[in-house]
Amino acid sequence: MIERSLNRRSVLRLGAAGAGAIVASRYVAIPAWAQVPPLEEKDTYTVGFAQVGSNNPWRLGESKSMQDEAARLGYTLVETNANEDTAKQIADLDSLIAQGVDILIFPPRESQAIAPSVLKAKAAGIPVILIDRDVDHSIAKPGEDYITFIGSDFVDQGRRAAEWLVEATGGEAKIIQLEGTTGSDPAIDRQKGFEDYLAGTFQGTPTAAGAHPGMEIIASQTGDFQRDLGREVMQTLLQAHPDVTAVYAHNDEMAIGAIAALQEAGRTPGEDVILVSIDGSNAALDAIVDGTLGASVESSPFFGPIAFETMAKYIAGEDIPDWVKVEDRFFDESNAAEFQGEQF
Ligand code: AHR
């Protein structure tokens, strides 16, 4: 049986074996086609960074973090911007692969659509580290097709938002859910964690304390993680569902948009409609302090240091887990003021 627990240094040393060859070590054997391409030690590297977009503070914070760390290390960062268009990100990745960058470090906009690009990079001998969003593992596998996924536990973020909302509403709410980008890993998982917790079917730690039948999701629609769209979608949904008493937004930008829509409609966010969201942006912390947003689960965009540190470990032949998990804080009225202005 072929296992995937070979010491990474052995993989690097033996990675030049031809396709179809079986690479042997004293531990286990891995076929060459099942290995992430090696990355040799050099003075400097050209890193391809295919960003999803630049229309919100989270993306800008992520890009700056990557730029700052690449500059600190003296590496060349070749950046592209998909402008929130999955087809453009696929083309951007094709171009970075054709340029022959040493490594690709990027967030895939959609988990299924971008997975073939990870396989293309592997076929071209370019190792990949995915940051912030993952791809569908039935298409491309960490530790085999790409080095690792570095990011948050999005299912648990949804669970934490649900748990807070149950507490804040006394277990009785008519909820509008504003979903993130359709087909993206955070949108899928944040929805799952939230809905599973309310249904009492959440699998994980801590386990749900049973179902919450008083928490009714009356509408759920995508706002594509964007403030303007969050506002527009909320305006429309408010007309169909004036009985709304809570909003769960998959990110802060959509929550801020929803707050504006609620205020325009004469509602009082924070009082007659309770909102919870995800990211922990500066705008969200301000909204928590002014009482319009109830809470925000952190989802940090500052991947530069951990991404390049993971790359260095890979070059050094260290074992990298399939998932380098980022731990998230939680912001509400008890601590938001303390962190105001420190985020993104
Ligand atoms: O992939 C992470 C998500 O993407 C963030 O929560 C969101 O704000 C961003 O657009």
Side-chain angles (χ1 to χ4, degrees), residues 56 58-59 132-133 154 186 190 225 250-251 278-279 299:
N56 73 51
W58 200 99
R59 290 283 144 216
D132 123 44
R133 296 186 188 177
F154 298 131
R190 287 171 184 172
F225 282 134
H250 288 188
N251 78 343
I278 296 173
D279 274 355
S299 196

Side-chain angles (χ1 to χ4, degrees), residues 3-84:
E3 291 176 50
R4 191 169 46 75
S5 57
L6 184 62
N7 172 286
R8 187 75 58 180
R9 186 176 290 283
S10 304
V11 172
L12 287 176
R13 245 192 287 117
L14 299 166
I22 298 288
V23 176
S25 85
R26 64 195 167 94
Y27 303 108
V28 285
I30 299 179
W33 53 261
Q35 294 174 25
V36 180
L39 188 54
E40 66 185 34
E41 202 162 332
K42 302 196 294 180
D43 288 343
T44 189
Y45 295 88
T46 301
V47 178
F49 174 52
Q51 181 55 289
V52 162
S54 58
N55 65 350
N56 73 51
W58 200 99
R59 290 283 144 216
L60 297 175
E62 183 180 49
S63 293
K64 184 170 184 323
S65 176
M66 289 293 290
Q67 290 156 2
D68 288 352
E69 194 61 10
R72 192 183 72 76
L73 293 164
Y75 294 175
T76 303
L77 193 72
V78 184
E79 280 185 75
T80 57
N81 181 354
N83 292 316
E84 296 295 339

Side-chain angles (χ1 to χ4, degrees), residues 4 13 24 30 43 53 63 94 132 134 156 159 164 166 175-176 182 221 242 253 255 267 280 286 294 312-313:
R4 191 169 46 75
R13 245 192 287 117
I30 299 179
D43 288 343
S63 293
D94 284 346
D132 123 44
D134 203 354
D156 200 54
R159 192 270 307 168
W164 182 88
V166 168
I175 307 160
I176 287 178
T182 304
Q221 201 170 307
E253 283 296 284
R267 306 294 293 267
D286 292 348
K313 285 182 178 170

Side-chain angles (χ1 to χ4, degrees), residues 2 15 20-21 26 33 41 47 50 53 67 72 76 97 104 115 118 128 131 136 141 144 151 187 199 252 277 313:
I2 293 165
R26 64 195 167 94
W33 53 261
E41 202 162 332
V47 178
Q67 290 156 2
R72 192 183 72 76
T76 303
I97 292 168
L104 283 167
V118 172
V128 170
I131 52 169
D136 186 327
K141 292 182 176 43
E144 186 173 310
D252 290 339
S277 62
K313 285 182 178 170

